[in-house]
């Protein structure tokens, strides 16, 4: 299969090594950042490819072409994988769009909220010629060990949800991509499900809020634990956020009874499903987070200044998960007329920390809405318009 990977970070290294190691694939990498291109070229030349380590297993795969020119790496691709943070989806899609051929499968790992609307905007009329898909999360926890040379897979998710447009293509994509990456990909009916089901949008901003809303401005001796730092208050915030998503789900299902939003699980249920064997005490949401081996030891994002540690409010837990996920879900709530006081509280706090404005007096009409993935940003400002985008899937 001819595959183009867009991006040059942890996920792109992992994909490049794993996919290029399979003789049936012809893999190219599109690196729009020049500084990354030269490091990839040097690294691959020295090493003979990108090495991916998973425990004792080592896989070496060498991409055929690497370029900062989309014309050199995109034409002919049957599968294009955006291994990028959500804030780069739109610009990279714009760069590659003129070189995409009809019928190409274009997917984001992970999609975050409303990736399909972003693709629809960029591709315009050509959207109907393409197949768009998104994964709910990156299937691995992975890190670059040596840039342009080596990445390590630290953990692999048991199963990852995949949505596609047109929806009927989802099964084939899940089967092909699942085989290529040796993963269990579960097809869900629509991008609407994928947007609402994202749990990073609840966990990351919710825990940042719980940990730091009363921060006194003093530096930390060491970074606080992230998941294991959750107190009853933070667990309460997470529960309220999860309940609000369930209210959106119930409201939409009531309006369109044939709509299938079963993939939008309550947070606690999702945790038990995703981390079956890792949670020592599943009795409450708080204990499920505190005793999850998969989260053990993970620290809150901090930045160092003059040798002291401060919370990093520009970290992706806010900078990506708020505008490209939670604000998208809040936008759907606004269209459905569902009140979401805790989402508003968390977004209002986060936007102040980020120096952004999405919500004004409880409405999504802030000056930075164009840099978000709220449906309103794409002109979807009524429930009727939302329903035409997401036809009912039983
Ligand atoms: P990364 O920071 O390692 O890589 C980001 C890459 O994106 C950069 O190297 C660059 O090539 C590209 N990029 C960044 N800004 C760009 C811009 N403005 N224009 C063009 N290209 C740009 O990120 P990653 O770890 O590979 O993660 C990719 C996505 O997966 C992110 O959304 C991340 O939150 C998510 N994720 C990662 C992990 C993980 O373990 N790495 C786990 C879960 C989710």
């Amino acid at each position: 299969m001819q595959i183009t990977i867009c991006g040059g970070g942890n996920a792109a290294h992992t994909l490049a090594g794993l996919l290029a190691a399979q003789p049936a694939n012809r893999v190219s990498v599109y690196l729009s950042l020049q500084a990354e291109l030269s490091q990839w070229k040097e690294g691959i030349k020295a090493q003979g490819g990108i090495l991916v380590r998973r425990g004792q297993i080592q896989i070496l795969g060498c991409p055929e072409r690497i370029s900062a020119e989309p014309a050199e790496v995109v034409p002919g691709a049957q599968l294009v994988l955006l291994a990028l943070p959500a804030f780069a989806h739109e610009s990279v899609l714009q760069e590659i769009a003129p070189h995409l051929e009809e019928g190409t499968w274009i997917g984001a790992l992970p999609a975050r909220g409303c990736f399909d609307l972003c693709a629809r905007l960029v591709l315009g009329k050509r959207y109907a010629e393409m197949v768009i898909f998104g994964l709910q999360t990156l299937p691995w926890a992975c890190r670059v060990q040596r840039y342009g040379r080596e990445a390590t897979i630290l953990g692999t998710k048991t199963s990852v949800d995949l949505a596609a447009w047109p929806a009927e293509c989802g099964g084939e994509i899940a089967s092909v991509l699942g085989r290529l990456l040796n993963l269990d990909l579960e097809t869900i009916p629509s991008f609407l499900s994928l947007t609402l089901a994202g749990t990073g949008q609840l966990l990351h901003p919710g825990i940042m809020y719980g940990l730091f809303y009363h921060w006194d401005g003093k530096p930390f001796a060491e970074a606080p634990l992230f998941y294991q730092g959750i107190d009853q208050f933070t667990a309460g915030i997470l529960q309220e956020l999860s309940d609000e998503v369930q209210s959106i789900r119930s409201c939409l299902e009531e309006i369109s009874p044939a709509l299938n939003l079963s993939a939008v699980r309550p947070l606690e249920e999702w945790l038990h499903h995703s981390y079956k064997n890792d949670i020592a005490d599943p009795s409450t949401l708080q204990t499920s987070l505190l005793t999850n081996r998969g989260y053990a030891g993970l620290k809150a994002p901090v930045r160092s200044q003059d040798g002291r540690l401060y919370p990093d409010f520009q970290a992706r837990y806010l900078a990506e998960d708020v505008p490209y996920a939670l604000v998208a879900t809040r936008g759907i709530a606004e269209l459905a007329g569902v009140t979401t006081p805790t989402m508003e509280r968390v977004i209002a706090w986060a936007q102040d920390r980020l120096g952004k404005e999405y919500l004004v007096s409880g409405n999504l009409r802030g000056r930075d809405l164009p840099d978000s993935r709220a449906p309103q940003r794409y002109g979807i400002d009524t429930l009727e318009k939302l329903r035409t985008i997401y036809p009912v899937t039983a």
Side-chain angles (χ1 to χ4, degrees):
M1 187 168 211
Q2 191 165 331
I3 303 168
T4 298
I5 297 160
C6 300
N10 302 306
H13 278 75
T14 305
L15 285 166
L18 295 181
L19 293 171
Q22 301 167 38
N25 296 332
R26 298 179 56 207
V27 175
S28 299
V29 181
Y30 172 51
L31 287 154
S32 54
L33 307 178
Q34 279 289 348
E36 294 187 337
L37 178 67
S38 46
Q39 288 189 64
W40 269 70
K41 283 196 165 160
E42 275 167 35
I44 286 179
K45 196 171 165 198
Q47 170 126 294
I50 300 283
L51 184 71
V52 180
R53 290 180 196 272
R54 183 181 359 213
Q56 299 305 311
I57 300 167
Q58 297 188 20
I59 296 167
L60 181 71
C62 189
E64 276 186 9
R65 282 172 298 177
I66 300 169
S67 178
E69 290 299 330
E72 292 176 6
V73 281
V74 178
Q78 298 157 284
L79 173 64
V80 171
L81 299 171
L82 304 183
L84 300 162
F87 55 77
H89 286 162
E90 191 170 322
S91 60
V92 170
L93 273 175
Q94 269 160 356
E95 288 154 16
I96 65 171
H99 310 281
L100 292 167
E101 291 177 12
E102 193 173 335
T104 310
W105 292 359
I106 307 158
L109 307 81
R112 306 290 180 206
C114 298
F115 169 68
D116 55 324
L117 301 185
C118 167
R120 194 178 277 262
L121 175 80
V122 174
L123 297 171
K125 285 192 184 132
R126 297 202 62 213
Y127 185 75
E129 296 171 7
M130 309 292 172
V131 177
I132 307 298
F133 70 95
L135 262 56
Q136 199 209 332
T137 178
L138 191 69
W140 318 280
C142 55
R143 294 289 177 270
V144 169
Q145 297 306 328
R146 289 189 300 154
Y147 197 86
R149 296 178 191 217
E150 190 179 322
T152 300
I153 295 179
L154 306 165
T156 304
K157 305 261 178 351
T158 326
S159 158
V160 177
D161 286 351
L162 178 148
W165 185 93
E168 56 272 24
C169 296
E172 190 187 353
I173 299 173
S175 146
V176 170
L177 192 63
R179 214 170 36 241
L180 285 170
L181 296 173
N182 193 20
L183 293 169
D184 180 14
L185 299 177
E186 215 168 302
T187 315
I188 64 171
S190 71
F191 270 100
L192 180 61
S193 276
L194 203 67
T195 295
L196 294 173
T199 47
Q201 65 182 333
L202 313 181
L203 287 166
H204 300 153
I207 296 175
M208 288 293 280
Y209 178 79
L211 286 179
F212 298 125
Y213 82 103
H214 56 3
W215 177 56
D216 58 8
K218 294 192 182 131
F220 296 105
E222 58 182 304
L225 286 165
F226 194 66
Y227 297 96
Q228 288 171 312
I230 289 170
D231 57 10
Q232 230 172 351
F233 170 79
T234 309
I237 292 287
L238 293 174
Q239 187 60 58
E240 286 168 22
L241 289 171
S242 172
D243 291 346
E244 288 176 0
V245 172
Q246 291 307 306
S247 300
I248 302 169
R249 172 186 166 176
S250 308
C251 174
L252 293 173
E253 286 176 336
E254 209 167 290
I255 293 164
S256 305
L259 191 66
N260 181 350
L261 294 175
S262 55
V264 187
R265 298 187 176 97
L267 184 55
E268 195 171 338
E269 189 184 313
W270 173 85
L271 274 168
H272 295 170
H273 176 79
S274 306
Y275 292 94
K276 264 188 226 76
N277 305 318
D278 290 328
I279 296 173
D281 178 0
S283 52
T284 67
L285 176 58
Q286 188 183 6
T287 62
S288 300
L289 291 160
L290 290 176
T291 67
N292 181 352
R293 262 201 311 270
Y295 291 153
L298 295 177
K299 300 281 179 76
V302 288
R303 63 185 170 82
S304 168
Q305 192 182 317
D306 305 327
R308 293 157 169 230
L309 297 178
Y310 298 89
D312 183 1
F313 295 126
Q314 297 304 320
R316 294 208 185 136
Y317 283 173
L318 293 186
E320 189 178 11
D321 284 293
V322 172
Y324 301 98
L326 191 57
V327 165
T329 292
R330 174 60 179 69
I332 294 168
E334 202 165 302
L335 297 177
V338 175
T339 55
T340 53
T342 306
M343 272 183 210
E344 279 170 37
R345 184 170 161 190
V346 172
I347 293 171
W349 173 83
Q351 68 182 13
D352 283 352
R353 308 277 94 59
L354 290 165
K356 301 281 184 184
E357 183 192 73
Y358 308 107
L359 279 175
V360 177
S361 309
N363 291 306
L364 278 178
R365 53 182 168 82
R367 63 169 189 273
D368 293 303
L369 202 63
D371 291 328
S372 80
R373 289 261 271 269
Q376 287 79 354
R377 180 255 150 120
Y378 302 98
I380 299 166
D381 50 8
T382 65
L383 192 57
E384 276 320 300
K385 287 186 190 168
L386 188 78
R387 291 176 76 189
T388 58
I389 298 275
Y390 299 113
V392 166
T393 314

